[in-house]
Every structure is written in structure tokens, then in C-alpha cells.
Amino acid sequence: SQQGEEDPQALSIQEGENATMNCSYKTSINNLQWYRQNSGRGLVHLILIRSNEREKHSGRLRVTLDTSKKSSSLLITASRAADTASYFCATGMDSSYKLIFGSGTRLLVRP
Amino acid sequence: NAGVTQTPKFQVLKTGQSMTLQCAQDMNHEYMSWYRQDPGMGLRLIHYSVGAGITDQGEVPNGYNVSRSTTEDFPLRLLSAAPSQTSVYFCASSYEGRETQYFGPGTRLLVL
């Protein structure tokens, strides 16, 4: 089964609104990463947060990590139509040198 | 730098045929991996390599073979294609397996 599970599976918002997506995981991690995938393209790395960090920012992105709840959230502020994409969380395992992906959140930002 | 390149972009196979998906990177990364992406399933790890001459299985290795003779190249071989292998295949590389991955553009494979 997938290590990371995103919620919601799909999200539709108006341009200018904030978008929040969540990721839950099951086992101990070294880090958690978020990737973006535009339709028909490869994945692009957005941000990485280590297991000893609680919050990280990058431009309009804010990621939080709660290791006690085994969950993370990605906030995109002031969304733009260009943010329309699928967003995946991926967990860097503590017990092995692998990265395991969740099933993704499809974000639609309406102009 | 070209980053991670994959060929072909699109391929149609008949059941039972074999083929090799090519992947190359020019970032001198030790770690390379292959994922498949199916609708609603996210990415699943097929095989990975932590360096030249070293490969290991991921979550869904059956029906696929890999080798790593150089740091740059990591081909994925389908031994006898089946319709269940219809998918989009992504190759990725990184300096270490659980760190930031750099993805290729993908290969769309259709098995009839």
C-alpha cells in the first residue's frame, strides 16, 4: 500500500484563493517532499522538509510537518491559474534509501 | 546540462514483445530509479540503483529487468510485454535515494 496518502484527491479553487492539501504517512521518515506534475509532464521538486523540522517556506509555498500525527500539509497562497497541476507528497524512508510517493491531489485553479 | 533524458517518448507494443526504455543523466548522480504511473495510483517504484553495478527491486519489479553498467545510464527492459504494463514510465536520479529526485519527461507505453 502507498506510504503517503494525499487529501483531498481533487481540489478546485478560484484564482487568488489559498490551496491546502494534506499528506498522511505510516512509518518513520527521514524527510517528506512535495512535487508538482503538470499534465503529461514529469514531476518537479517543490520543497523538502526534514523530520526534525516543523515548517518550511519557499515563495508562495508553506509546508508543515507533524511527525506525532504522521502528517504534512502544503499551502499555496494567492493561487494562480498556472498552479493548476497534480501535487504529490513523497516520503524519504528512515529505514531505507527509497522515496515512496502518494497518489496525489489534482488542483484546478479557475481564472 | 540536459538533466535526465528518456527515450522513446511514446511506444506501442504487442503482447509478448520485448523492449528497452532508455534513461540517461548527466548530473553524476549515484542513485537512479524507475517508476510507473497509472491513473489514480501515483508513482510506484519498479527498480532502483545506488551506483554502477548495483541494482535492487522496488514495489512492482515483476516483468522488468534493469542493469547499471555506467553512472550515466539506467535502462529498463520489458522482457515480455503485457497489457498490464501499459503505463507512463518515469526515470529519476538523485545524489541519494531519499533526497530530491530529478525526473525525466516520461515514456508513454501502450501494450496491445
Side-chain angles (χ1 to χ4, degrees), chain A residues 49-61:
Chain A
I49 186 166
R50 302 259 172 222
S51 59
N52 61 354
E53 298 175 308
R54 292 296 167 258
E55 188 170 313
K56 205 160 184 179
H57 296 255
S58 176
R60 293 184 296 112
L61 305 180

Side-chain angles (χ1 to χ4, degrees), chain A residues 71-96:
Chain A
S71 68
S72 171
S73 67
L74 171 68
L75 169 68
I76 304 174
T77 60
S79 63
R80 306 165 182 168
D83 294 327
T84 293
S86 290
Y87 292 81
F88 295 89
C89 73
T91 47
M93 309 296 285
D94 209 15
S95 57
S96 73

Side-chain angles (χ1 to χ4, degrees), chain A residues 31 33 35 37 50 93, chain B residues 35 37 96 98-99 101:
Chain A
N31 66 71
Q33 305 175 34
Y35 289 78
Q37 183 181 36
R50 302 259 172 222
M93 309 296 285
Chain B
Y35 293 87
Q37 184 177 32
E96 195 251 62
R98 57 191 178 186
E99 297 296 320
Q101 302 286 306

Side-chain angles (χ1 to χ4, degrees), chain A residues 30 104 110:
Chain A
N30 173 276
R110 304 187 305 275

Side-chain angles (χ1 to χ4, degrees), chain A residues 15-67:
Chain A
E15 201 165 30
E17 294 180 338
N18 295 343
T20 300
M21 46 204 96
N22 304 294
C23 172
S24 60
Y25 58 92
K26 298 175 183 174
T27 61
S28 181
I29 62 170
N30 173 276
N31 66 71
L32 188 142
Q33 305 175 34
W34 287 90
Y35 289 78
R36 184 185 72 221
Q37 183 181 36
N38 291 93
S39 182
R41 309 291 291 272
L43 279 73
V44 174
H45 181 259
L46 294 176
I47 197 165
L48 180 154
I49 186 166
R50 302 259 172 222
S51 59
N52 61 354
E53 298 175 308
R54 292 296 167 258
E55 188 170 313
K56 205 160 184 179
H57 296 255
S58 176
R60 293 184 296 112
L61 305 180
R62 174 178 165 250
V63 170
T64 60
L65 179 64
D66 186 337
T67 53

